[in-house]
């Protein structure tokens, strides 16, 4: 584990200490969780990009001309 020194305005420090105390946690734990959440958000974004690529890769032979015309679309819906 690494130690990190961060400079923040006095008001921000005070509010963060209060928030940590309300949660029964240390300020260090609060900051560590926040930094971890940044990494997790990037990981989730990357996962979703890969999923999008997979879905788009499965779409083959799509043409706008393959669409049903209005009459056939409504006829099919009634069946």
């Amino acid at each position: 584990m690494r130690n990190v020194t961060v400079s923040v305005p006095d008001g921000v420090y005070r509010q963060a200490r209060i928030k940590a105390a309300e949660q029964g946690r240390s300020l260090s734990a609060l900051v560590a969780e926040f930094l971890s959440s940044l990494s997790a958000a990037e990981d989730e974004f990357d996962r979703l990009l890969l999923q999008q690529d997979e879905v788009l890769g499965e779409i083959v032979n799509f043409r706008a001309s393959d669409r049903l015309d209005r009459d056939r679309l409504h006829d099919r819906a009634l069946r």
Side-chain angles (χ1 to χ4, degrees), residues 33-74:
E33 180 183 334
F34 172 73
L35 294 176
S36 292
S37 73
L38 293 178
S39 175
E42 287 181 14
D43 292 344
E44 176 68 3
F45 183 78
D46 290 340
R47 185 189 70 78
L48 291 172
L49 278 178
L50 287 174
Q51 184 180 17
Q52 174 181 307
D53 290 343
E54 290 174 7
V55 169
L56 290 175
E58 293 174 3
I59 299 173
V60 293
N61 299 328
F62 175 79
R63 296 180 309 222
S65 64
D66 291 340
R67 296 185 311 177
L68 296 174
D69 61 33
R70 181 183 173 124
D71 292 333
R72 285 185 32 207
L73 176 67
H74 289 288

